[in-house]
Amino acid sequence: MAAVEDSGYLARAAFLMDALMRRVGLDGRAFVMQMMGFGCNVPALMGTRVMRTRSLRLLAMLVIPFSLCSARLAVFVFIISATFPSSKGALVLFSFYVISFLAAFSTAAIFSFSKQFKSQEPFLLEIPPYRIPTVKQVLLRGWGEVREFIRRASRFIIIGCILVWLLTNLPVGAEGLSTYGGQLGVLLQPIMEPIGINPYLTLALIFGFIAKEIVIGSLSTIYALSASGVSQAISMSVTPLEAYSFCLFCLLYTPCLTTIATVHSEGKSWQFTSFSLILSLSYAWLVSFLFYQGAKLFGF
């Protein structure tokens, strides 16, 4: 991304996409940030600083978390490989990218009518000349982004790993659903059962709220199996329909605590941060519910 940005192409991409993005209440710069979000939502949210009006920034920050980041991609590849035939895996994965775009654009289109998110500012952008990025520039910018991500995310990942261990090993001697984590998953079943998510996957989603990077590892801990053993256990206990619903929820609900912290630091408002969190959770549950119950209604 640093190489593309330094080449001068991103400004041109923003200009080319401005007409489309205007239809959903954003501008071309938001499209660039949305694309960055497919790598990681955090730098994409930080990149909204280039937008001049607060309303555009808030609307962009509202939809960027719907981008299918690399951490969620790893979860999807694992779940899809365990529950879907290999011949259909690529198509299933591609569908989540499509849903990611649809979720972002539909949300932007709906909320662009709100006074809080509406902006009439003309799109002004300086087009830099094309350049060939140097290796030194790319490495320096890349290291800067990596260092910032590590600084923001590492504390949450460490906390998440500790929490996973505690909830899946206490009380002493307990296993599976008898642990505190398992009991929490069972407690949430009235909410998660209508969307086809069992207590084990519910607990993984709770840990994923801290950081999606720990979802697969938490599944190994929850099932008390190796990665290959977890894959086999999921293939035997989770249907493709349930797996797709799980991935849908994972795609649309809050990416991680680091994202929430970034939304707050960039938006400077706990009210907006809370709204963004509630929106993503509600949207994820509603879409998963409609998909799962609709598919069952039609006999899938």
Side-chain angles (χ1 to χ4, degrees), residues 36-117:
M36 290 179 64
F38 283 92
C40 178
N41 293 169
V42 173
L45 289 166
M46 295 170 64
T48 58
R49 297 171 186 174
V50 300
M51 298 179 179
R52 296 183 181 180
T53 63
R54 178 172 173 79
S55 56
L56 274 179
R57 287 191 67 197
L58 292 180
L59 185 57
M61 286 193 288
L62 196 64
V63 302
I64 284 173
F66 291 127
S67 296
L68 199 165
C69 64
S70 57
R72 280 182 282 201
L73 177 61
V75 176
F76 293 169
V77 170
F78 181 80
I79 296 296
I80 290 171
S81 63
T83 55
F84 286 89
S86 57
S87 59
K88 297 181 179 179
L91 182 61
V92 173
L93 183 60
F94 176 73
S95 70
F96 290 120
Y97 280 99
V98 175
I99 293 170
S100 174
F101 275 109
L102 291 176
F105 288 165
S106 61
T107 301
I110 292 171
F111 286 99
S112 64
F113 292 100
S114 170
K115 291 182 179 180
Q116 183 181 3
F117 301 110

Side-chain angles (χ1 to χ4, degrees), residues 6-280:
D6 288 343
S7 70
Y9 181 74
L10 283 185
R12 290 167 172 82
F15 177 77
L16 291 172
M17 296 304 300
D18 182 64
L20 173 63
M21 300 302 289
R22 280 288 174 184
R23 297 183 180 181
V24 295
L26 292 167
D27 65 19
R29 287 168 294 196
F31 178 80
V32 175
M33 298 304 108
Q34 195 75 26
M35 292 298 99
M36 290 179 64
F38 283 92
C40 178
N41 293 169
V42 173
L45 289 166
M46 295 170 64
T48 58
R49 297 171 186 174
V50 300
M51 298 179 179
R52 296 183 181 180
T53 63
R54 178 172 173 79
S55 56
L56 274 179
R57 287 191 67 197
L58 292 180
L59 185 57
M61 286 193 288
L62 196 64
V63 302
I64 284 173
F66 291 127
S67 296
L68 199 165
C69 64
S70 57
R72 280 182 282 201
L73 177 61
V75 176
F76 293 169
V77 170
F78 181 80
I79 296 296
I80 290 171
S81 63
T83 55
F84 286 89
S86 57
S87 59
K88 297 181 179 179
L91 182 61
V92 173
L93 183 60
F94 176 73
S95 70
F96 290 120
Y97 280 99
V98 175
I99 293 170
S100 174
F101 275 109
L102 291 176
F105 288 165
S106 61
T107 301
I110 292 171
F111 286 99
S112 64
F113 292 100
S114 170
K115 291 182 179 180
Q116 183 181 3
F117 301 110
K118 197 167 187 178
S119 174
Q120 300 296 332
E121 181 195 9
F123 181 57
L124 301 175
L125 185 67
E126 180 182 355
I127 303 295
Y130 279 118
R131 304 183 184 90
I132 299 177
T134 64
V135 175
K136 182 179 179 180
Q137 284 178 316
V138 173
L139 291 177
L140 286 175
R141 288 178 62 93
W143 167 243
E145 295 291 344
V146 170
R147 182 177 58 188
E148 180 65 17
F149 173 79
I150 292 174
R151 185 185 70 82
R152 287 172 174 264
S154 59
R155 54 184 173 179
F156 293 116
I157 294 176
I158 292 172
I159 293 172
C161 291
I162 295 173
L163 188 61
V164 167
W165 189 90
L166 290 175
L167 289 178
T168 55
N169 285 276
L170 295 177
V172 178
E175 294 182 355
L177 298 181
S178 299
T179 62
Y180 290 144
Q183 293 172 26
L184 181 59
V186 172
L187 181 66
L188 293 174
Q189 272 309 96
I191 299 174
M192 305 305 287
E193 188 175 9
I195 60 176
I197 297 178
N198 65 37
Y200 294 101
L201 295 180
T202 298
L203 185 56
L205 287 173
I206 294 172
F207 294 140
F209 183 82
I210 301 170
K212 293 296 182 293
E213 288 85 354
I214 65 176
V215 168
I216 298 176
S218 68
L219 283 171
S220 296
T221 306
I222 293 166
Y223 280 94
L225 296 169
S226 63
S228 58
V230 171
S231 179
Q232 185 176 3
I234 290 177
S235 66
M236 295 175 61
S237 61
V238 179
T239 66
L241 180 62
E242 293 169 342
Y244 199 94
S245 181
F246 170 81
C247 290
L248 264 182
F249 192 92
C250 189
L251 170 65
L252 298 175
Y253 90 121
T254 308
C256 59
L257 281 180
T258 308
T259 299
I260 297 174
T262 305
V263 168
H264 175 255
S265 64
E266 297 297 324
K268 310 296 183 184
S269 169
W270 278 114
Q271 183 179 2
F272 174 74
T273 304
S274 301
F275 174 73
S276 175
L277 175 60
I278 294 171
L279 174 68
S280 64

